[in-house]
Amino acid sequence: MYKIKSAEKFLWDGIDLEGKKVLEGGTSWGNTTDLIAKKVRENQWSTELISIDIDDSHFEEIEERLQNDFKSLSLRRGDLSNLDFIDDQSIDVIICNYTLSSVDQFPMRALSALKEFYRVLKPGGDLLITEEMPIWSVDSTSYPYWSKRLRIIKSISVLRGMSYFNEIHPKDLEVSLITTGFKDIIWNEFTEKINAERATKFLDKRKQTLIKGSDDLENKKVNDGLTELTEELVKEFSGTEEFSAPGYVLRGRK
Ligand SMILES: C[S@@+](CC[C@H](N)C(=O)[O-])C[C@H]1O[C@@H](n2cnc3c(N)ncnc32)[C@H](O)[C@@H]1O
């Protein structure tokens, strides 16, 4: 039997975007947008892409970089849990990478996003999702940097009363998708490589929040401890280009 090895192969297996309208959920700095553009270029597809993020800070640079790769490229600021600016059954393929856990910072909001995905997809349309595994579901010693980094970020966020990413287990995502109406759901776990420089920047930002912030749980020892842990981790991984993280790719169809 043909064995699909990499996450990228599993995600793209059998996907043809010729003449298709694609929706990307969670543009961010455009990692996945770049990947879609690369596939479109390689296959000389004529593809329309609408990419949506609640934060538009990278839109200008992405538009400049990729506008010539698509038949049309539209970067829209919007909340994936409310896509009322997109018509019912108007999209052929939805690609949503590393974003549902961010939407689910506000628990259950990802379900509203899935409901919107189902509404805007054409019957037979594909939904492709990549996410990180939840930290409790893996042996964290196998992913030392990933796991320490996540635990520090989450601890600081809880201490400061801030929301934080809620990674969704693929089994729970599968149930939510079936409940929403999706079918033919398959998923596979993978070890992903994450850009260490970007990840470290995010960690440092959280440390700044801890140092600057104040709330009614102020405790110097806790603050100093978490600051020290953050600095140690940044030092330990300075010079590292990428690190491993446990992830999965899930595919479903309307
Ligand atoms: C980790 S980034 C996505 C990374 C990108 N897709 C990739 O493949 O590298 C998560 C993104 O989700 C966006 N986001 C979070 N909640 C959202 C929501 N409710 N609607 C739209 N975008 C949201 C954030 O602004 C952030 O840019």
mmCIF file of all heavy atoms in Angstrom, residues 165-209:
data_model
loop_
_atom_site.group_PDB
_atom_site.id
_atom_site.type_symbol
_atom_site.label_atom_id
_atom_site.label_comp_id
_atom_site.label_asym_id
_atom_site.label_seq_id
_atom_site.Cartn_x
_atom_site.Cartn_y
_atom_site.Cartn_z
ATOM 1 N N PHE A 165 -3.425 29.695 23.710
ATOM 2 C CA PHE A 165 -3.807 28.653 22.749
ATOM 3 C C PHE A 165 -4.316 27.398 23.465
ATOM 4 O O PHE A 165 -3.757 26.993 24.465
ATOM 5 C CB PHE A 165 -2.588 28.232 21.908
ATOM 6 C CG PHE A 165 -2.179 29.231 20.873
ATOM 7 C CD1 PHE A 165 -2.581 30.551 20.934
ATOM 8 C CD2 PHE A 165 -1.372 28.834 19.807
ATOM 9 C CE1 PHE A 165 -2.197 31.474 19.970
ATOM 10 C CE2 PHE A 165 -0.984 29.744 18.835
ATOM 11 C CZ PHE A 165 -1.386 31.064 18.919
ATOM 12 N N ASN A 166 -5.364 26.822 22.914
ATOM 13 C CA ASN A 166 -5.884 25.554 23.438
ATOM 14 C C ASN A 166 -5.783 24.505 22.347
ATOM 15 O O ASN A 166 -6.657 24.436 21.475
ATOM 16 C CB ASN A 166 -7.355 25.709 23.830
ATOM 17 C CG ASN A 166 -7.504 26.120 25.273
ATOM 18 O OD1 ASN A 166 -6.817 25.576 26.138
ATOM 19 N ND2 ASN A 166 -8.371 27.069 25.526
ATOM 20 N N GLU A 167 -4.722 23.722 22.360
ATOM 21 C CA GLU A 167 -4.562 22.704 21.318
ATOM 22 C C GLU A 167 -5.691 21.682 21.428
ATOM 23 O O GLU A 167 -6.050 21.265 22.536
ATOM 24 C CB GLU A 167 -3.205 22.013 21.440
ATOM 25 C CG GLU A 167 -2.008 22.894 21.131
ATOM 26 C CD GLU A 167 -1.676 23.883 22.243
ATOM 27 O OE1 GLU A 167 -2.071 23.623 23.404
ATOM 28 O OE2 GLU A 167 -1.042 24.913 21.966
ATOM 29 N N ILE A 168 -6.225 21.289 20.280
ATOM 30 C CA ILE A 168 -7.381 20.386 20.244
ATOM 31 C C ILE A 168 -6.911 19.001 19.816
ATOM 32 O O ILE A 168 -6.225 18.866 18.790
ATOM 33 C CB ILE A 168 -8.440 20.903 19.234
ATOM 34 C CG1 ILE A 168 -8.822 22.358 19.556
ATOM 35 C CG2 ILE A 168 -9.665 20.001 19.212
ATOM 36 C CD1 ILE A 168 -9.603 23.064 18.453
ATOM 37 N N HIS A 169 -7.276 17.972 20.572
ATOM 38 C CA HIS A 169 -6.865 16.617 20.188
ATOM 39 C C HIS A 169 -7.603 16.215 18.903
ATOM 40 O O HIS A 169 -8.797 16.524 18.744
ATOM 41 C CB HIS A 169 -7.177 15.631 21.319
ATOM 42 C CG HIS A 169 -6.499 14.316 21.146
ATOM 43 N ND1 HIS A 169 -6.999 13.347 20.310
ATOM 44 C CD2 HIS A 169 -5.332 13.848 21.634
ATOM 45 C CE1 HIS A 169 -6.163 12.311 20.318
ATOM 46 N NE2 HIS A 169 -5.145 12.593 21.124
ATOM 47 N N PRO A 170 -6.914 15.521 17.981
ATOM 48 C CA PRO A 170 -7.582 15.169 16.719
ATOM 49 C C PRO A 170 -8.869 14.365 16.904
ATOM 50 O O PRO A 170 -9.809 14.512 16.114
ATOM 51 C CB PRO A 170 -6.513 14.363 15.963
ATOM 52 C CG PRO A 170 -5.429 14.069 16.937
ATOM 53 C CD PRO A 170 -5.501 15.125 17.985
ATOM 54 N N LYS A 171 -8.936 13.560 17.982
ATOM 55 C CA LYS A 171 -10.173 12.776 18.203
ATOM 56 C C LYS A 171 -11.337 13.713 18.529
ATOM 57 O O LYS A 171 -12.464 13.504 18.100
ATOM 58 C CB LYS A 171 -9.980 11.800 19.373
ATOM 59 C CG LYS A 171 -9.229 10.557 18.985
ATOM 60 C CD LYS A 171 -9.250 9.566 20.137
ATOM 61 C CE LYS A 171 -8.340 8.406 19.828
ATOM 62 N NZ LYS A 171 -7.947 7.671 21.019
ATOM 63 N N ASP A 172 -11.058 14.743 19.329
ATOM 64 C CA ASP A 172 -12.106 15.712 19.683
ATOM 65 C C ASP A 172 -12.491 16.559 18.472
ATOM 66 O O ASP A 172 -13.661 16.882 18.274
ATOM 67 C CB ASP A 172 -11.635 16.614 20.838
ATOM 68 C CG ASP A 172 -11.386 15.800 22.101
ATOM 69 O OD1 ASP A 172 -12.208 14.924 22.404
ATOM 70 O OD2 ASP A 172 -10.346 16.019 22.759
ATOM 71 N N LEU A 173 -11.481 16.889 17.663
ATOM 72 C CA LEU A 173 -11.763 17.669 16.450
ATOM 73 C C LEU A 173 -12.618 16.837 15.491
ATOM 74 O O LEU A 173 -13.567 17.347 14.887
ATOM 75 C CB LEU A 173 -10.439 18.101 15.791
ATOM 76 C CG LEU A 173 -10.553 19.024 14.593
ATOM 77 C CD1 LEU A 173 -11.378 20.273 14.902
ATOM 78 C CD2 LEU A 173 -9.165 19.438 14.095
ATOM 79 N N GLU A 174 -12.299 15.558 15.410
ATOM 80 C CA GLU A 174 -13.064 14.661 14.532
ATOM 81 C C GLU A 174 -14.540 14.641 14.955
ATOM 82 O O GLU A 174 -15.436 14.768 14.115
ATOM 83 C CB GLU A 174 -12.458 13.250 14.587
ATOM 84 C CG GLU A 174 -13.167 12.283 13.674
ATOM 85 C CD GLU A 174 -12.495 10.909 13.620
ATOM 86 O OE1 GLU A 174 -11.518 10.671 14.341
ATOM 87 O OE2 GLU A 174 -12.992 10.076 12.846
ATOM 88 N N VAL A 175 -14.795 14.514 16.264
ATOM 89 C CA VAL A 175 -16.178 14.486 16.759
ATOM 90 C C VAL A 175 -16.883 15.812 16.429
ATOM 91 O O VAL A 175 -18.024 15.826 15.964
ATOM 92 C CB VAL A 175 -16.210 14.210 18.292
ATOM 93 C CG1 VAL A 175 -17.619 14.385 18.843
ATOM 94 C CG2 VAL A 175 -15.689 12.815 18.593
ATOM 95 N N SER A 176 -16.172 16.925 16.640
ATOM 96 C CA SER A 176 -16.776 18.238 16.353
ATOM 97 C C SER A 176 -17.106 18.363 14.871
ATOM 98 O O SER A 176 -18.144 18.916 14.494
ATOM 99 C CB SER A 176 -15.823 19.370 16.733
ATOM 100 O OG SER A 176 -15.457 19.250 18.072
ATOM 101 N N LEU A 177 -16.227 17.830 14.026
ATOM 102 C CA LEU A 177 -16.461 17.918 12.581
ATOM 103 C C LEU A 177 -17.648 17.057 12.157
ATOM 104 O O LEU A 177 -18.465 17.469 11.335
ATOM 105 C CB LEU A 177 -15.199 17.494 11.820
ATOM 106 C CG LEU A 177 -14.086 18.542 11.835
ATOM 107 C CD1 LEU A 177 -12.758 17.938 11.422
ATOM 108 C CD2 LEU A 177 -14.430 19.708 10.913
ATOM 109 N N ILE A 178 -17.741 15.866 12.738
ATOM 110 C CA ILE A 178 -18.879 14.983 12.408
ATOM 111 C C ILE A 178 -20.172 15.664 12.857
ATOM 112 O O ILE A 178 -21.168 15.699 12.130
ATOM 113 C CB ILE A 178 -18.703 13.595 13.064
ATOM 114 C CG1 ILE A 178 -17.530 12.864 12.402
ATOM 115 C CG2 ILE A 178 -19.980 12.767 12.961
ATOM 116 C CD1 ILE A 178 -17.069 11.609 13.117
ATOM 117 N N THR A 179 -20.137 16.265 14.050
ATOM 118 C CA THR A 179 -21.319 16.953 14.579
ATOM 119 C C THR A 179 -21.718 18.109 13.654
ATOM 120 O O THR A 179 -22.896 18.404 13.474
ATOM 121 C CB THR A 179 -21.003 17.510 16.000
ATOM 122 O OG1 THR A 179 -20.453 16.463 16.767
ATOM 123 C CG2 THR A 179 -22.231 18.055 16.687
ATOM 124 N N THR A 180 -20.714 18.747 13.072
ATOM 125 C CA THR A 180 -20.993 19.876 12.178
ATOM 126 C C THR A 180 -21.515 19.411 10.814
ATOM 127 O O THR A 180 -22.096 20.199 10.074
ATOM 128 C CB THR A 180 -19.671 20.682 11.969
ATOM 129 O OG1 THR A 180 -19.030 20.832 13.222
ATOM 130 C CG2 THR A 180 -19.921 22.049 11.409
ATOM 131 N N GLY A 181 -21.288 18.147 10.465
ATOM 132 C CA GLY A 181 -21.795 17.619 9.189
ATOM 133 C C GLY A 181 -20.717 17.093 8.267
ATOM 134 O O GLY A 181 -21.029 16.537 7.210
ATOM 135 N N PHE A 182 -19.437 17.278 8.617
ATOM 136 C CA PHE A 182 -18.355 16.807 7.739
ATOM 137 C C PHE A 182 -18.300 15.286 7.706
ATOM 138 O O PHE A 182 -18.725 14.612 8.646
ATOM 139 C CB PHE A 182 -17.004 17.369 8.217
ATOM 140 C CG PHE A 182 -16.806 18.809 7.876
ATOM 141 C CD1 PHE A 182 -17.109 19.807 8.802
ATOM 142 C CD2 PHE A 182 -16.341 19.184 6.630
ATOM 143 C CE1 PHE A 182 -16.941 21.144 8.487
ATOM 144 C CE2 PHE A 182 -16.163 20.527 6.304
ATOM 145 C CZ PHE A 182 -16.461 21.505 7.237
ATOM 146 N N LYS A 183 -17.760 14.763 6.616
ATOM 147 C CA LYS A 183 -17.623 13.304 6.483
ATOM 148 C C LYS A 183 -16.220 12.956 5.981
ATOM 149 O O LYS A 183 -15.409 13.877 5.738
ATOM 150 C CB LYS A 183 -18.704 12.756 5.545
ATOM 151 C CG LYS A 183 -18.659 13.391 4.174
ATOM 152 C CD LYS A 183 -19.805 12.941 3.303
ATOM 153 C CE LYS A 183 -19.613 13.519 1.912
ATOM 154 N NZ LYS A 183 -20.693 13.453 1.029
ATOM 155 N N ASP A 184 -15.976 11.666 5.789
ATOM 156 C CA ASP A 184 -14.687 11.163 5.254
ATOM 157 C C ASP A 184 -13.482 11.741 6.006
ATOM 158 O O ASP A 184 -12.508 12.197 5.386
ATOM 159 C CB ASP A 184 -14.537 11.495 3.757
ATOM 160 C CG ASP A 184 -15.668 10.914 2.924
ATOM 161 O OD1 ASP A 184 -16.289 9.927 3.386
ATOM 162 O OD2 ASP A 184 -15.934 11.444 1.827
ATOM 163 N N ILE A 185 -13.558 11.755 7.325
ATOM 164 C CA ILE A 185 -12.480 12.382 8.107
ATOM 165 C C ILE A 185 -11.334 11.390 8.339
ATOM 166 O O ILE A 185 -11.547 10.251 8.764
ATOM 167 C CB ILE A 185 -13.037 12.898 9.451
ATOM 168 C CG1 ILE A 185 -14.024 14.030 9.155
ATOM 169 C CG2 ILE A 185 -11.915 13.407 10.372
ATOM 170 C CD1 ILE A 185 -15.016 14.262 10.218
ATOM 171 N N ILE A 186 -10.142 11.844 8.016
ATOM 172 C CA ILE A 186 -8.941 11.042 8.283
ATOM 173 C C ILE A 186 -7.895 11.955 8.920
ATOM 174 O O ILE A 186 -7.869 13.156 8.644
ATOM 175 C CB ILE A 186 -8.342 10.400 6.999
ATOM 176 C CG1 ILE A 186 -8.207 11.440 5.861
ATOM 177 C CG2 ILE A 186 -9.175 9.238 6.521
ATOM 178 C CD1 ILE A 186 -7.382 10.942 4.679
ATOM 179 N N TRP A 187 -7.079 11.408 9.792
ATOM 180 C CA TRP A 187 -5.998 12.221 10.345
ATOM 181 C C TRP A 187 -4.799 11.354 10.674
ATOM 182 O O TRP A 187 -4.906 10.141 10.820
ATOM 183 C CB TRP A 187 -6.443 13.020 11.576
ATOM 184 C CG TRP A 187 -7.105 12.242 12.672
ATOM 185 C CD1 TRP A 187 -8.448 12.007 12.799
ATOM 186 C CD2 TRP A 187 -6.479 11.623 13.805
ATOM 187 N NE1 TRP A 187 -8.699 11.270 13.932
ATOM 188 C CE2 TRP A 187 -7.504 11.024 14.576
ATOM 189 C CE3 TRP A 187 -5.160 11.508 14.249
ATOM 190 C CZ2 TRP A 187 -7.243 10.326 15.748
ATOM 191 C CZ3 TRP A 187 -4.906 10.824 15.422
ATOM 192 C CH2 TRP A 187 -5.939 10.245 16.152
ATOM 193 N N ASN A 188 -3.653 12.023 10.737
ATOM 194 C CA ASN A 188 -2.389 11.352 10.982
ATOM 195 C C ASN A 188 -1.502 12.247 11.833
ATOM 196 O O ASN A 188 -1.460 13.457 11.596
ATOM 197 C CB ASN A 188 -1.693 11.139 9.634
ATOM 198 C CG ASN A 188 -1.253 9.714 9.479
ATOM 199 O OD1 ASN A 188 -0.831 9.080 10.440
ATOM 200 N ND2 ASN A 188 -1.328 9.223 8.259
ATOM 201 N N GLU A 189 -0.826 11.645 12.799
ATOM 202 C CA GLU A 189 0.096 12.447 13.619
ATOM 203 C C GLU A 189 1.449 12.539 12.922
ATOM 204 O O GLU A 189 1.862 11.604 12.234
ATOM 205 C CB GLU A 189 0.280 11.793 14.987
ATOM 206 C CG GLU A 189 -0.961 11.883 15.850
ATOM 207 C CD GLU A 189 -0.756 11.254 17.214
ATOM 208 O OE1 GLU A 189 0.362 11.340 17.765
ATOM 209 O OE2 GLU A 189 -1.726 10.659 17.712
ATOM 210 N N PHE A 190 2.127 13.676 13.129
ATOM 211 C CA PHE A 190 3.449 13.880 12.541
ATOM 212 C C PHE A 190 4.332 14.634 13.518
ATOM 213 O O PHE A 190 3.836 15.322 14.407
ATOM 214 C CB PHE A 190 3.351 14.741 11.266
ATOM 215 C CG PHE A 190 2.581 14.097 10.161
ATOM 216 C CD1 PHE A 190 1.257 14.427 9.927
ATOM 217 C CD2 PHE A 190 3.180 13.138 9.367
ATOM 218 C CE1 PHE A 190 0.536 13.819 8.917
ATOM 219 C CE2 PHE A 190 2.479 12.529 8.342
ATOM 220 C CZ PHE A 190 1.154 12.869 8.118
ATOM 221 N N THR A 191 5.636 14.526 13.304
ATOM 222 C CA THR A 191 6.546 15.418 14.013
ATOM 223 C C THR A 191 6.851 16.572 13.086
ATOM 224 O O THR A 191 7.282 16.372 11.955
ATOM 225 C CB THR A 191 7.841 14.669 14.400
ATOM 226 O OG1 THR A 191 7.494 13.669 15.345
ATOM 227 C CG2 THR A 191 8.846 15.624 15.041
ATOM 228 N N GLU A 192 6.542 17.773 13.571
ATOM 229 C CA GLU A 192 6.737 18.970 12.743
ATOM 230 C C GLU A 192 8.029 19.671 13.128
ATOM 231 O O GLU A 192 8.516 19.518 14.246
ATOM 232 C CB GLU A 192 5.590 19.972 12.975
ATOM 233 C CG GLU A 192 4.212 19.394 12.868
ATOM 234 C CD GLU A 192 3.730 19.247 11.458
ATOM 235 O OE1 GLU A 192 4.556 19.357 10.526
ATOM 236 O OE2 GLU A 192 2.534 19.004 11.266
ATOM 237 N N LYS A 193 8.537 20.487 12.221
ATOM 238 C CA LYS A 193 9.688 21.332 12.538
ATOM 239 C C LYS A 193 9.203 22.774 12.654
ATOM 240 O O LYS A 193 8.507 23.269 11.768
ATOM 241 C CB LYS A 193 10.749 21.242 11.417
ATOM 242 C CG LYS A 193 11.367 19.869 11.298
ATOM 243 C CD LYS A 193 12.369 19.636 12.417
ATOM 244 C CE LYS A 193 12.910 18.210 12.345
ATOM 245 N NZ LYS A 193 13.380 17.727 13.627
ATOM 246 N N ILE A 194 9.573 23.418 13.746
ATOM 247 C CA ILE A 194 9.114 24.794 13.978
ATOM 248 C C ILE A 194 10.320 25.735 13.954
ATOM 249 O O ILE A 194 11.373 25.398 14.500
ATOM 250 C CB ILE A 194 8.408 24.897 15.350
ATOM 251 C CG1 ILE A 194 7.304 23.848 15.423
ATOM 252 C CG2 ILE A 194 7.926 26.321 15.640
ATOM 253 C CD1 ILE A 194 5.925 24.281 15.685
ATOM 254 N N ASN A 195 10.116 26.894 13.335
ATOM 255 C CA ASN A 195 11.177 27.893 13.257
ATOM 256 C C ASN A 195 11.494 28.424 14.662
ATOM 257 O O ASN A 195 10.651 29.025 15.326
ATOM 258 C CB ASN A 195 10.702 29.028 12.340
ATOM 259 C CG ASN A 195 11.720 30.126 12.209
ATOM 260 O OD1 ASN A 195 12.061 30.785 13.180
ATOM 261 N ND2 ASN A 195 12.203 30.319 10.992
ATOM 262 N N ALA A 196 12.734 28.193 15.131
ATOM 263 C CA ALA A 196 13.087 28.497 16.528
ATOM 264 C C ALA A 196 13.151 30.001 16.794
ATOM 265 O O ALA A 196 12.762 30.459 17.861
ATOM 266 C CB ALA A 196 14.419 27.844 16.864
ATOM 267 N N GLU A 197 13.602 30.754 15.795
ATOM 268 C CA GLU A 197 13.761 32.198 16.017
ATOM 269 C C GLU A 197 12.413 32.869 16.297
ATOM 270 O O GLU A 197 12.259 33.629 17.246
ATOM 271 C CB GLU A 197 14.417 32.811 14.773
ATOM 272 C CG GLU A 197 14.965 34.197 15.019
ATOM 273 C CD GLU A 197 15.403 34.853 13.721
ATOM 274 O OE1 GLU A 197 15.813 34.127 12.788
ATOM 275 O OE2 GLU A 197 15.316 36.077 13.649
ATOM 276 N N ARG A 198 11.424 32.529 15.462
ATOM 277 C CA ARG A 198 10.084 33.109 15.639
ATOM 278 C C ARG A 198 9.482 32.684 16.966
ATOM 279 O O ARG A 198 8.874 33.466 17.687
ATOM 280 C CB ARG A 198 9.162 32.648 14.521
ATOM 281 C CG ARG A 198 9.277 33.526 13.311
ATOM 282 C CD ARG A 198 8.217 33.166 12.289
ATOM 283 N NE ARG A 198 8.499 33.835 11.054
ATOM 284 C CZ ARG A 198 8.317 33.309 9.857
ATOM 285 N NH1 ARG A 198 7.863 32.097 9.742
ATOM 286 N NH2 ARG A 198 8.578 33.999 8.784
ATOM 287 N N ALA A 199 9.677 31.399 17.291
ATOM 288 C CA ALA A 199 9.100 30.858 18.521
ATOM 289 C C ALA A 199 9.725 31.533 19.740
ATOM 290 O O ALA A 199 9.048 31.829 20.720
ATOM 291 C CB ALA A 199 9.332 29.353 18.568
ATOM 292 N N THR A 200 11.032 31.792 19.651
ATOM 293 C CA THR A 200 11.728 32.423 20.776
ATOM 294 C C THR A 200 11.263 33.869 20.948
ATOM 295 O O THR A 200 11.100 34.348 22.060
ATOM 296 C CB THR A 200 13.260 32.363 20.539
ATOM 297 O OG1 THR A 200 13.602 31.009 20.323
ATOM 298 C CG2 THR A 200 14.024 32.893 21.721
ATOM 299 N N LYS A 201 11.025 34.550 19.826
ATOM 300 C CA LYS A 201 10.526 35.934 19.891
ATOM 301 C C LYS A 201 9.196 35.993 20.650
ATOM 302 O O LYS A 201 8.967 36.867 21.477
ATOM 303 C CB LYS A 201 10.305 36.463 18.466
ATOM 304 C CG LYS A 201 11.455 37.323 17.984
ATOM 305 C CD LYS A 201 11.083 38.022 16.686
ATOM 306 C CE LYS A 201 12.316 38.285 15.859
ATOM 307 N NZ LYS A 201 12.054 38.371 14.448
ATOM 308 N N PHE A 202 8.346 35.032 20.341
ATOM 309 C CA PHE A 202 7.032 34.988 20.984
ATOM 310 C C PHE A 202 7.181 34.751 22.490
ATOM 311 O O PHE A 202 6.503 35.357 23.313
ATOM 312 C CB PHE A 202 6.181 33.883 20.345
ATOM 313 C CG PHE A 202 4.753 33.899 20.795
ATOM 314 C CD1 PHE A 202 3.874 34.858 20.281
ATOM 315 C CD2 PHE A 202 4.277 32.993 21.716
ATOM 316 C CE1 PHE A 202 2.547 34.892 20.694
ATOM 317 C CE2 PHE A 202 2.954 33.016 22.131
ATOM 318 C CZ PHE A 202 2.090 33.968 21.620
ATOM 319 N N LEU A 203 8.122 33.884 22.830
ATOM 320 C CA LEU A 203 8.379 33.562 24.237
ATOM 321 C C LEU A 203 8.878 34.800 24.976
ATOM 322 O O LEU A 203 8.447 35.111 26.086
ATOM 323 C CB LEU A 203 9.429 32.444 24.294
ATOM 324 C CG LEU A 203 9.788 31.856 25.646
ATOM 325 C CD1 LEU A 203 8.572 31.235 26.295
ATOM 326 C CD2 LEU A 203 10.877 30.800 25.481
ATOM 327 N N ASP A 204 9.772 35.539 24.322
ATOM 328 C CA ASP A 204 10.319 36.738 24.937
ATOM 329 C C ASP A 204 9.219 37.785 25.154
ATOM 330 O O ASP A 204 9.208 38.481 26.166
ATOM 331 C CB ASP A 204 11.441 37.297 24.047
ATOM 332 C CG ASP A 204 12.275 38.313 24.804
ATOM 333 O OD1 ASP A 204 12.714 37.969 25.915
ATOM 334 O OD2 ASP A 204 12.449 39.438 24.313
ATOM 335 N N LYS A 205 8.289 37.853 24.195
ATOM 336 C CA LYS A 205 7.168 38.794 24.320
ATOM 337 C C LYS A 205 6.345 38.475 25.571
ATOM 338 O O LYS A 205 5.949 39.361 26.315
ATOM 339 C CB LYS A 205 6.293 38.667 23.069
ATOM 340 C CG LYS A 205 5.630 39.954 22.648
ATOM 341 C CD LYS A 205 5.210 39.857 21.205
ATOM 342 C CE LYS A 205 3.746 40.065 20.999
ATOM 343 N NZ LYS A 205 3.313 39.764 19.643
ATOM 344 N N ARG A 206 6.116 37.174 25.777
ATOM 345 C CA ARG A 206 5.347 36.748 26.957
ATOM 346 C C ARG A 206 6.100 37.114 28.247
ATOM 347 O O ARG A 206 5.511 37.506 29.238
ATOM 348 C CB ARG A 206 5.090 35.242 26.931
ATOM 349 C CG ARG A 206 3.852 34.862 26.185
ATOM 350 C CD ARG A 206 2.593 35.296 26.962
ATOM 351 N NE ARG A 206 1.376 34.776 26.396
ATOM 352 C CZ ARG A 206 0.591 35.425 25.538
ATOM 353 N NH1 ARG A 206 0.882 36.626 25.146
ATOM 354 N NH2 ARG A 206 -0.517 34.871 25.097
ATOM 355 N N LYS A 207 7.440 36.990 28.197
ATOM 356 C CA LYS A 207 8.249 37.335 29.380
ATOM 357 C C LYS A 207 8.091 38.821 29.702
ATOM 358 O O LYS A 207 7.945 39.204 30.857
ATOM 359 C CB LYS A 207 9.723 36.992 29.111
ATOM 360 C CG LYS A 207 10.591 37.073 30.361
ATOM 361 C CD LYS A 207 12.057 37.004 30.039
ATOM 362 C CE LYS A 207 12.573 38.325 29.524
ATOM 363 N NZ LYS A 207 13.958 38.279 29.067
ATOM 364 N N GLN A 208 8.097 39.646 28.643
ATOM 365 C CA GLN A 208 7.914 41.086 28.839
ATOM 366 C C GLN A 208 6.569 41.379 29.495
ATOM 367 O O GLN A 208 6.459 42.245 30.347
ATOM 368 C CB GLN A 208 7.988 41.843 27.492
ATOM 369 C CG GLN A 208 9.325 41.752 26.767
ATOM 370 C CD GLN A 208 10.492 42.227 27.612
ATOM 371 O OE1 GLN A 208 10.328 43.076 28.475
ATOM 372 N NE2 GLN A 208 11.652 41.635 27.407
ATOM 373 N N THR A 209 5.553 40.612 29.077
ATOM 374 C CA THR A 209 4.224 40.774 29.668
ATOM 375 C C THR A 209 4.292 40.512 31.164
ATOM 376 O O THR A 209 3.695 41.204 31.976
ATOM 377 C CB THR A 209 3.242 39.750 29.042
ATOM 378 O OG1 THR A 209 3.383 39.788 27.647
ATOM 379 C CG2 THR A 209 1.816 40.021 29.439
#
